[in-house]
Amino acid sequence: MEIVDLRSDTVTHPTPAMREAMYRAEVGDDVFGDDPTVNRLEEMAAQRLGKEAALFVASGTMGNLVALLTHCGRGDQAVVGDHSHTFLFEQGGMAGLGGIMPWPVPNQPDGTLRLDDIEKSIRPENVHFARTRLICLENTHNVCDGTPLTADYTAQVARLAHSHGLRLHIDGARIFNAATALGVDVRDLVREADSVMFCLSKGLCAPVGSLLCGDAAFIQEARRVRKVVGGGMRQAGILAAAGIVALEQVVPRLAEDHERARQLAAGLAEIPSIQVAPVSTNILYFSLTNTAKTPEQVVEGLAERGILLLGRENGRFRAVTHYWIDDEGIERTVQAMREIMA
Ligand code: TLP
């Protein structure tokens, strides 16, 4: 039985073209700046995002951490969404490793932070207060239904940040999904941001890696920080080669994943006792209402039928579509849910 793995887009295996490119990759010692494939990927990423420079890092968590450590010093305050990945799912690394104080602001259901909430979180110069340095946004917003933040909204936050002498970092783990869903160039979504991290190893199918992008001075400093967190990766061209294929071949097809997430949502919405959240990208949340079925029964029932998805703590389920989910996988999932809920 073929497994339909909807737990995350992080489960994607590399495409055949990626394996071929990895096999053939020219490599060198990237800590010396000698790996031509890493250099090419970094140039491509910077160009795609409309930034001066980029840095290849091991993961999204490392990219966000390196950004935070580069923008902020110990005792500084970073404003984050209370549902953001950086705040909820990165072990408090900014505090634990950087002495940076996260200041959570409520995420609205669409993943935004209200401008006046941000404004209120910015602390004036006062001997009692931490110094606010940074605002972080997440696009698409994972926990807020995978919703994309618009270019206009992001620009407003950037202007607010800059008017107070602060910086804006974007956790753009799935920024290409956002650009695809909104039908805009990804540059428009990050134009006024000071840094942006995006992942190659989610919907883009590469086995490892993320890129942190920003101006040349920021990336030069971030390169030092990456080294101290153990992120100097030597012959990383083997990995970067897959990332180049991801940008060239996988980004252009992301709309297919969004379409399948919509198909899955439409199928599930017809089943009584299932409440489906709005879908705008490749992430679909749903929950159970008025049923004796427990979330565990649903997850187990699906697993028996070769379908994997995440039942989350708050009773919501998350299904994520990606390169390796086809129409048949969607049909099988809807059919399985019909059987389980019957
Ligand atoms: N998200 C993963 C899990 O950690 C939950 C997932 O399956 O969605 N930013 C965002 C918005 C993310 O969704 C993730 C990973 C990260 C950062 C961290 O990336 P990695 O896992 O590469 O460190």
Side-chain angles (χ1 to χ4, degrees), residues 122-133:
I122 301 171
R123 318 217 60 207
E125 185 60 36
N126 180 306
V127 74
H128 299 91
F129 299 161
R131 285 192 168 127
T132 314
R133 293 276 186 222

Side-chain angles (χ1 to χ4, degrees), residues 128-149:
H128 299 91
F129 299 161
R131 285 192 168 127
T132 314
R133 293 276 186 222
L134 184 69
I135 298 171
C136 300
L137 293 176
E138 182 175 317
N139 196 6
T140 63
H141 202 291
N142 185 344
V143 173
C144 297
D145 301 330
T147 311
L149 304 183

Side-chain angles (χ1 to χ4, degrees), residues 318-333:
R318 188 184 76 163
V320 187
T321 56
H322 53 75
Y323 187 91
W324 298 103
I325 300 293
D326 57 11
D327 291 336
E328 197 204 324
I330 298 297
E331 283 157 28
R332 264 177 63 194
T333 306

Side-chain angles (χ1 to χ4, degrees), residues 158-169:
R159 279 173 218 148
L160 174 61
H162 296 154
S163 72
H164 289 274
L166 314 182
R167 299 264 179 103
L168 172 65
H169 171 68

